[in-house]
């Protein structure tokens, strides 16, 4: 369990840094542009990791379709996130997006019969509360603030789209656990990344605009590469941990992002943010203890 928790910690660190680096890039790219760049970078990193571990040999059978299917579900979910930005503010979208954890946890308990203890419940509640307090732009899929102001007159549409995002990402995060019964972490990562890249590419082709030929394009791919590497560590941790513990703990990456923003960008560390950091760290600690 300690090794698995260590893998999740590596994921939290890398994604926290990637989310921080995403902030200036997202100011110059649209949501669909940034989404496809992140997916391309993640796929490239996943392919390299797969080749390094397993060579050119690929598995066959239903688990391959499962990996692609999870990527399709998660990819459509990320498109819902981008669409929601047309109707809701960035801050609301990023905050509500973290509620997918609730869906993942409920499915883990109901379908996989994961044990529910007082320690785990306390950890989940504390982690979710801390993450919701800390949630702010840049999120996992950042976007320019000015483009997110469109469509504010129809918040109901944004709410429906965000509900779809929460459901899709929550289900996708849950399905990763059973998929690891037949796929290695690097294999699941590359199949999922492949499907997500296809979905992101189709969405960009339909919604536009075209990708710019600029350094920020390479920067977006770089952020995606970091996320692709981090995902391998997440799947390594998920393989031996309850999905409820892994999913909730992984969102502690926002603590790293907030701390980097405080140190590097000189953003104020308010009492509320301090409370959010404390709640998240306490929650993750309790979850680690509940996992044994």
């Amino acid at each position: 369990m300690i090794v698995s928790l260590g893998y999740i910690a590596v994921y939290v660190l890398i994604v926290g840094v990637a989310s921080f680096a995403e902030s200036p890039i997202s100011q110059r790219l649209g949501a669909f542009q940034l989404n496809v760049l992140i997916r391309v970078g993640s796929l490239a990193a996943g392919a390299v990791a797969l080749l390094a571990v397993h060579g050119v040999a690929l598995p066959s059978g239903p688990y391959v379709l499962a990996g692609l299917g999870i990527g399709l579900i998660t990819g459509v979910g990320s498109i819902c996130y981008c669409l929601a930005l047309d109707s809701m503010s960035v801050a609301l979208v990023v905050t509500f997006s973290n509620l997918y954890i609730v869906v993942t946890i409920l499915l883990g308990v109901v379908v996989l019969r994961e044990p529910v203890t007082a320690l785990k419940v306390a950890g989940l509640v504390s982690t979710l509360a801390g993450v919701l307090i800390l949630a702010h732009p840049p999120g996992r899929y950042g976007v320019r603030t000015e483009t997110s102001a469109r469509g504010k007159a129809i918040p109901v549409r944004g709410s429906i789209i965000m509900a779809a995002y929460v459901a899709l990402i929550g289900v996708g995060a849950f399905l990763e656990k059973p998929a690891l019964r037949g796929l290695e972490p690097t294999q699941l990562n590359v199949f999922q990344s492949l499907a997500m890249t296809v979905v992101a590419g189709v969405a960009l082709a339909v919604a536009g605009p075209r990708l710019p030929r600029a350094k920020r394009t390479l920067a977006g791919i770089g952020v995606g590469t970091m996320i692709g590497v981090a995902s391998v560590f997440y799947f390594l941790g998920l393989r031996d941990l309850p999905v409820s513990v892994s999913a909730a703990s992984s969102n502690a990456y926002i603590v790293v992002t907030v701390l980097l923003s405080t140190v590097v960008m000189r953003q104020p560390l308010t009492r509320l943010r301090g409370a959010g950091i404390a709640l998240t760290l306490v929650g993750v600690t309790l979850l680690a203890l509940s996992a044994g």
Side-chain angles (χ1 to χ4, degrees), residues 166-208:
V166 169
L168 289 169
I169 298 299
V171 171
F174 161 74
L175 290 175
E176 290 167 351
K177 178 67 175 180
L180 286 171
R181 296 172 182 171
L183 293 173
E184 293 295 324
T186 52
Q187 294 170 340
L188 175 57
N189 184 43
V190 78
F191 291 134
Q192 182 174 340
S193 296
L194 176 60
M196 293 183 72
T197 302
V198 171
V199 172
V202 171
L204 180 64
V206 173

Side-chain angles (χ1 to χ4, degrees), residues 105-117:
I105 292 170
L106 289 176
L107 288 173
V109 171
V110 174
V111 179
L112 298 181
R113 306 296 183 185
E114 293 184 354
V116 179
T117 63

Side-chain angles (χ1 to χ4, degrees), residues 73-220:
I73 293 172
T74 309
V76 173
S78 69
I79 300 305
C80 290
Y81 186 104
C82 296
L83 291 173
L85 290 166
D86 284 336
S87 304
M88 302 172 66
S89 68
V90 174
L92 281 176
V93 173
V94 174
T95 300
F96 291 152
S97 68
N98 289 282
L99 295 177
Y100 84 87
I101 303 172
V102 177
V103 176
T104 303
I105 292 170
L106 289 176
L107 288 173
V109 171
V110 174
V111 179
L112 298 181
R113 306 296 183 185
E114 293 184 354
V116 179
T117 63
L119 192 62
K120 177 182 284 189
V121 171
L124 293 173
V125 171
S126 181
T127 302
L128 182 58
V131 168
L132 290 177
I133 290 173
L134 293 174
H136 67 90
R140 185 170 295 174
Y141 312 110
V143 65
R144 293 178 300 193
T145 304
E146 59 268 25
T147 62
S148 66
R150 295 180 300 163
K152 282 188 177 179
I154 48 174
V156 173
R157 176 176 177 270
S159 299
I160 294 174
I161 294 174
M162 278 310 299
Y165 169 88
V166 169
L168 289 169
I169 298 299
V171 171
F174 161 74
L175 290 175
E176 290 167 351
K177 178 67 175 180
L180 286 171
R181 296 172 182 171
L183 293 173
E184 293 295 324
T186 52
Q187 294 170 340
L188 175 57
N189 184 43
V190 78
F191 291 134
Q192 182 174 340
S193 296
L194 176 60
M196 293 183 72
T197 302
V198 171
V199 172
V202 171
L204 180 64
V206 173
R210 293 181 178 180
L211 290 172
R213 295 183 178 180
K215 292 182 179 179
R216 59 180 178 271
T217 299
L218 294 177

Side-chain angles (χ1 to χ4, degrees), residues 23-40:
S23 180
I25 302 170
S26 66
Q27 300 302 312
R28 300 176 179 85
L29 292 171
F32 291 100
Q33 292 174 320
L34 183 57
N35 185 42
V36 77
L37 291 176
I38 288 176
R39 299 306 155 216
V40 169

